[in-house]
Amino acid sequence: MSSVLFVYAQGGPPLGYALSRVAARSAVHLLALSTLPPTVAASAGRQCASVFTATGPERGDLVSLIVSRARTVGADAVVTFSEYAVVAVAEACAKLGLAGAGASCALARDKRLMRRTWEQRGISQPRFRPVADERELREAAGALRLPLLLKAAWSAGSTAHRIIRSADEVPAAWERAQEVMAESAGLGYAELHVAGAGADFLVEEIVPGTADGWFGQEGWGDYVSVEGVVVDGEFRPVCLTGRMPTVEPFTERAGITPAALPDDAQRRVVALAREAVDALGLENCGTHTEIKLGADGRMWLIETAARFGGAMTVPQIEEVFGLDLIGMLVDHLLGRPVAWPDQSLTSQEARGAAGSLVVLAVDGAGDAWSDRRRWDFPAVRDAVALDAGSRLSVVAENSLPDGTLVPVYDPAAGANTMAALCLLSAATPETVLRDFRTLVDALPRVLPAATATATTTTTTAITTGARS
């Protein structure tokens, strides 16, 4: 029987989901670089041929650790679905002579290298500058068109994003971005292979995005993501994920499969995604490419990752299109034939629609709730009237326990302040969007109010939050 080394770290699809798909294809040996979620820890031993936890000094030389563990268990393939481990796994696969993302994987991880590569190819993207300190940020603010977005080069989940509207805001933006990256590292959301990556930043112009003219329904966000895979160097698009508008600065609130875009618009979006992925020279891996939509059909690349989309993106695709992307990638890495889609799938091939909503303490307009509330999924499920055919559930692995105080939303911390992740299945993507808007409006009303004592209690966000 084939053997797969599964390298687990924070982020990516829920571990319980991913682990079951890998285990269905092969004997799986788990190398845990982060503490296993409580909902998975109890069952991991039953699903895995071995579980090895490396959360201490042994992670110092991560590539050597992965290589050693792979040889010990006789791995025929090594996989990870975490943004923070993709570079290390790619380098380990190269040393082991196994199929992987390839030598250029870092181009799909370090946003500075990614943007430079696209710039050299003349591919549409916002103007940008790498910045290493406050002085360089101030110089960039004088050279680029305001407002600007400061972002960490190795982050995910909109962590450490700061909008800069004037040069006077540079010192505070730089200081807070540094603080948030340190906080994220403490929660386990940090690059695991490249030393000092938390200090790397870039700043970019904020392009004028709009969903007008792209969708036939109000309420969609002004960006989409193209989910796909690279197979022996060839990009194979799978489908598009639509979005709700982000919460300031650019924290993602919801992903909806499939995106309700007309076929012609989808083809144009996929063509730009192909340019982006092809330029990075990836070999064998999942891909997740985010694209900003503008007026008159304009588009700009935001970023590409050498892994599948996080949160519930992959489970949504399996529900809607019947494709187990994780299992299919494992089969490919093991040398088995896989029937990838001939082209990007649309609503015409879908069996309904699905979406995932990140619960944040902000209303539909992005304003903070007027008071503190406690997360309570049964209260939400029982009190919110959704479409008659819709089914709402909570992703326990990515959610706070019922009764926990919902964290105050921090724009700089982004997904670090989420309370829960909800999954909704419905007949159409338009229905999912309507239900999510209803849900967002209802949450501060139907969730139990915090007591006077509880409102002063410090609450730490979950450490298995969704990262797309």
Side-chain angles (χ1 to χ4, degrees):
M1 186 177 186
S2 299
S3 176
V4 172
L5 179 65
F6 183 159
V7 180
Y8 167 71
Q10 297 280 33
L15 176 58
Y17 172 88
L19 188 57
S20 67
R21 269 59 184 177
V22 178
R25 294 309 210 276
S26 169
V28 56
H29 298 266
L30 187 62
L31 172 56
L33 305 179
S34 301
T35 302
L36 299 181
T39 54
V40 179
S43 62
R46 295 192 298 271
Q47 294 188 76
C48 301
S50 69
V51 177
F52 184 86
T53 301
T55 57
E58 65 271 24
R59 295 194 327 187
D61 186 349
L62 188 53
V63 173
S64 294
L65 172 63
I66 296 170
V67 169
S68 174
R69 191 63 190 158
R71 287 173 173 159
T72 297
V73 302
D76 301 295
V78 181
V79 298
T80 189
F81 305 105
S82 168
E83 179 82 351
Y84 307 110
V86 291
V87 176
V89 168
E91 292 186 12
C93 286
K95 289 181 178 292
L96 292 162
L98 301 175
S104 65
C105 181
L107 299 183
R109 181 73 182 96
D110 182 343
K111 296 177 179 63
R112 301 167 303 172
L113 299 178
M114 186 187 307
R115 292 297 186 83
R116 286 173 181 147
T117 301
W118 290 340
E119 186 177 48
Q120 292 167 1
R121 299 289 187 95
I123 301 175
S124 178
Q125 62 177 322
R127 292 178 63 206
F128 73 99
R129 274 197 179 188
V131 291
D133 52 37
E134 184 181 326
R135 177 187 61 79
E136 290 188 0
L137 178 56
R138 189 176 295 279
E139 290 175 354
L144 299 174
R145 184 189 69 247
L146 296 169
L148 302 175
L149 178 64
L150 176 66
K151 59 172 63 173
W154 298 82
S155 69
S158 305
T159 303
H161 281 22
R162 297 288 292 179
I163 294 177
I164 299 173
R165 295 180 173 85
S166 71
D168 293 340
E169 297 179 3
V170 165
W174 182 255
E175 181 180 4
R176 183 58 183 143
Q178 299 284 321
E179 291 172 352
V180 169
M181 287 305 292
E183 293 166 3
S184 293
L187 293 171
Y189 296 114
E191 169 60 31
L192 295 170
H193 177 48
V194 179
D200 297 332
F201 287 81
L202 75 157
V203 66
E204 64 185 37
E205 295 181 351
I206 297 178
V207 293
T210 180
D212 294 345
W214 290 91
F215 297 91
Q217 175 192 25
E218 292 184 355
W220 289 94
D222 60 3
Y223 72 114
V224 296
S225 59
V226 180
E227 321 306 338
V229 66
V230 177
V231 179
D232 297 331
E234 179 186 359
F235 175 57
R236 305 293 294 268
V238 173
C239 68
L240 271 65
T241 301
R243 308 286 175 164
M244 290 181 74
T246 57
V247 180
E248 189 172 341
F250 289 101
T251 302
E252 299 183 48
R253 195 198 286 270
I256 301 172
T257 308
L261 279 178
D263 290 349
D264 180 63
Q266 292 214 30
R267 284 191 289 269
R268 293 184 58 241
V269 169
V270 169
L272 180 57
R274 186 181 300 278
E275 287 187 67
V277 175
D278 287 350
L280 301 180
L282 301 171
E283 295 178 7
N284 293 283
C285 60
T287 62
H288 172 75
T289 304
E290 296 181 354
I291 294 175
K292 189 84 164 179
L293 308 175
D296 302 319
R298 291 198 67 186
M299 296 180 290
W300 301 267
L301 287 169
I302 301 175
E303 62 189 49
T304 285
R307 44 85 181 167
F308 293 127
M312 295 299 286
T313 303
V314 175
Q316 288 167 206
I317 291 171
E318 183 171 9
E319 177 176 343
V320 172
F321 295 112
L323 297 177
D324 171 10
L325 293 186
I326 288 177
M328 294 166 72
L329 179 61
V330 168
D331 278 343
H332 172 70
L333 295 177
L334 291 173
R336 301 166 183 163
V338 178
W340 299 102
D342 293 329
Q343 58 187 3
S344 181
L345 302 175
T346 68
S347 296
Q348 298 175 18
E349 294 86 22
R351 304 179 302 195
S356 48
L357 176 76
V358 175
V359 175
L360 301 166
V362 291
D363 62 20
D367 296 324
W369 293 349
S370 60
D371 58 4
R372 299 294 298 276
R373 297 278 165 164
R374 292 186 177 277
W375 174 243
D376 187 332
F377 177 70
V380 174
R381 180 193 58 209
D382 296 341
V384 181
L386 303 177
D387 186 87
S390 298
R391 303 182 308 279
L392 182 68
S393 59
V394 66
V395 185
E397 183 181 320
N398 297 88
S399 302
L400 293 169
D402 290 331
T404 306
L405 198 63
V406 174
V408 174
Y409 176 66
D410 180 351
N416 287 359
T417 52
M418 68 179 282
L421 182 66
C422 291
L423 177 67
L424 188 138
S425 302
T428 67
E430 291 85 357
T431 305
V432 175
L433 178 61
R434 285 197 304 270
D435 282 345
F436 276 168
R437 296 177 74 180
T438 298
L439 191 58
V440 167
D441 289 341
L443 284 173
R445 173 175 50 84
V446 303
L447 288 175
T451 64
T453 300
T455 57
T456 61
T457 302
T458 300
T459 301
T460 301
I462 53 176
T463 58
T464 54
R467 306 278 158 150
S468 60

